[in-house]
Amino acid sequence: MEMEIDWSNLGFGYYPTDYNVRCEFKDGKWGPVTVTDDVTINIHMAATCLHYGQEAFEGLKAFRGEDGKIRIFRMDENAKRFISSAEGIKMQPLPEELFKEMVVKLIKANERFVPPYGSGAALYIRPLEIGISPQVGVRPAREYMVVMFCCPVGPYFKSGFRPGRMCIMREYDRVAPKGTGRFKIGANYATSLYAGELALSKGYNAVLYLDPKDKKYLDECGPANFFAIKDGKYITPASDSILPSITNKSLQQLAEDLGLVVEKRRIAVEELTTVDEAAACGTAAVATPIAEIDDLDNNTTYVIAKDGKPGKYTTLLYNTLQDIQMGRRPDIHGWTTIVE
């Protein structure tokens, strides 16, 4: 088919590509990887994914570099988190090497959809695992399917790399204490939809959730992790209810490379008055600066970007990460995989 994609003006959404890849777990083993152009999944109406939420997913990106090569960013970390999520809800984990094989095969099959260098866009890869056994009793499935598809995407937040606004609303929780917050499963996102849409209707980028137990400490920014810069330190919340972001993990390493001290700890809401910079970070969002945070329950506004511009370190971290992904800077930490 003819390609007429405005690469530089892509949003973050579904865009059809040529193929997806699949693999099924049946009779106690994973089968062969298949490539198909079928965009539908034929499953039984009693499948466990439909009734008991046995579903996990991932998100990673591939970039066309300055040298024309395609680089996948931290694929091994996504494979490990995919395993952790599957194990967390008693699904059969996809072996790491099989995960990598499927990702590479997917990219090669859809290579013409990898955005060109300099467009600001990337190829987003979405692995999905579902329980497909038909059953009515509440128990794990015996059979599973992994599907991976991809699409070219632009920035997650419409504001791009410009400071945006977030809000705090204590009556809504993303996850339960000691629940499934550390796993990348659909249930966690379903519970965030109501508050997320409400925040958007009020003109905010997202909700900055507080810890679900005490409602005193910062948790996650809806679809992303939170970090702040304060007194030469990179601080980010520590909690069992937060999804371990691979982007956040990468930014922490880059912060240390820049000489910042990294602290993973509880961050009280009131501490927002003392931070120099703040941002939401994740595979989709990368690093999105935060201009201000409105605590709607206490009628308090925490102004972060007082001049309305991204902070010095947030900008530096964002640019450094992108330089590595695009091949403009040496990959000293071995984070990228070049598609041969």
Side-chain angles (χ1 to χ4, degrees):
M1 68 180 180
E2 292 295 322
M3 295 262 292
E4 292 186 4
I5 301 176
D6 186 356
W7 300 105
S8 298
N9 290 301
L10 281 171
F12 191 91
Y14 177 76
Y15 189 98
T17 52
D18 292 333
Y19 302 102
N20 61 85
V21 298
R22 306 181 182 194
C23 188
E24 293 190 6
F25 181 86
K26 291 186 176 181
D27 300 321
K29 63 181 183 297
W30 288 100
V33 176
T34 59
V35 179
T36 178
D37 61 0
D38 187 356
V39 297
T40 64
I41 300 174
N42 184 16
I43 58 174
H44 197 283
M45 64 183 177
T48 60
C49 63
L50 300 177
H51 298 267
Y52 306 122
Q54 274 204 300
E55 175 274 345
F57 68 100
E58 265 305 320
L60 61 158
K61 285 180 178 178
F63 305 83
R64 194 175 298 278
E66 190 175 27
D67 55 7
K69 296 179 180 179
I70 299 173
R71 289 171 171 80
I72 312 168
F73 186 68
R74 305 208 74 171
M75 175 169 55
D76 57 333
E77 290 293 329
N78 286 97
K80 292 171 184 174
R81 193 170 66 179
F82 200 45
I83 290 172
S84 175
S85 295
E87 291 175 339
I89 55 172
K90 296 300 290 183
M91 294 201 300
Q92 181 66 34
L94 184 74
E96 187 174 337
E97 289 308 311
L98 190 51
F99 181 97
K100 294 177 180 178
E101 176 190 339
M102 292 181 72
V103 170
V104 171
K105 188 165 289 190
L106 176 70
I107 294 171
K108 286 184 176 181
N110 295 285
E111 186 171 344
R112 70 196 188 106
F113 290 95
V114 180
Y117 174 75
S119 64
L123 186 73
Y124 183 76
I125 299 143
R126 170 55 60 85
L128 168 72
E129 180 172 355
I130 55 175
I132 58 175
S133 298
Q135 60 193 49
V136 177
V138 183
R139 61 183 183 275
R142 299 178 305 280
E143 299 176 345
Y144 297 90
M145 176 190 291
V146 169
V147 179
M148 293 189 188
F149 66 89
C150 61
C151 45
V153 297
Y156 186 85
F157 293 120
K158 292 181 180 180
S159 59
F161 191 70
R162 292 193 299 274
R165 300 168 64 230
M166 299 209 174
C167 66
I168 295 171
M169 296 186 287
R170 286 172 180 77
E171 64 180 299
Y172 302 105
D173 287 324
R174 189 183 66 89
V175 294
K178 301 186 182 299
T180 57
R182 63 191 182 280
F183 307 128
K184 198 168 180 66
I185 60 175
N188 298 337
Y189 293 81
T191 55
S192 73
L193 292 177
Y194 188 91
E197 288 300 300
L198 182 58
L200 288 175
S201 72
K202 294 177 179 290
Y204 298 101
N205 287 43
V207 178
L208 175 53
Y209 289 94
L210 302 185
D211 73 285
K213 181 182 179 182
D214 300 313
K215 297 296 184 75
K216 295 179 180 179
Y217 305 97
L218 305 183
D219 203 70
E220 279 204 75
C221 298
N225 273 196
F226 172 90
F227 76 83
I229 305 296
K230 173 184 175 180
D231 300 330
K233 298 176 181 178
Y234 178 109
I235 59 174
T236 192
S239 167
D240 289 338
S241 66
I242 294 175
L243 181 73
S245 163
I246 295 164
T247 302
N248 195 352
K249 183 177 182 178
S250 304
L251 292 174
Q252 289 173 43
Q253 179 61 62
L254 296 180
E256 289 184 347
D257 294 347
L258 292 173
L260 296 173
V261 174
V262 173
E263 289 185 352
K264 295 176 67 177
R265 60 174 174 79
R266 282 184 157 190
I267 304 173
V269 177
E270 294 75 18
E271 194 173 345
L272 288 172
T273 61
T274 65
V275 303
D276 302 314
E277 306 174 32
C281 64
T283 298
V286 188
T288 303
I290 299 173
E292 66 178 49
I293 300 167
D294 288 344
D295 187 336
L296 301 184
D297 300 308
N298 295 332
N299 197 28
T300 301
T301 296
Y302 300 97
V303 179
I304 312 295
K306 296 178 175 60
D307 59 359
K309 298 178 181 178
K312 168 188 170 183
Y313 283 108
T314 302
T315 302
L316 191 53
L317 289 167
Y318 175 85
N319 289 337
T320 302
L321 186 69
Q322 290 228 305
D323 284 348
I324 294 170
Q325 292 170 335
M326 298 292 179
R328 295 189 294 255
R329 181 184 294 261
D331 179 19
I332 62 173
H333 297 295
W335 287 344
T336 60
T337 300
I338 295 176
V339 178
E340 301 292 349

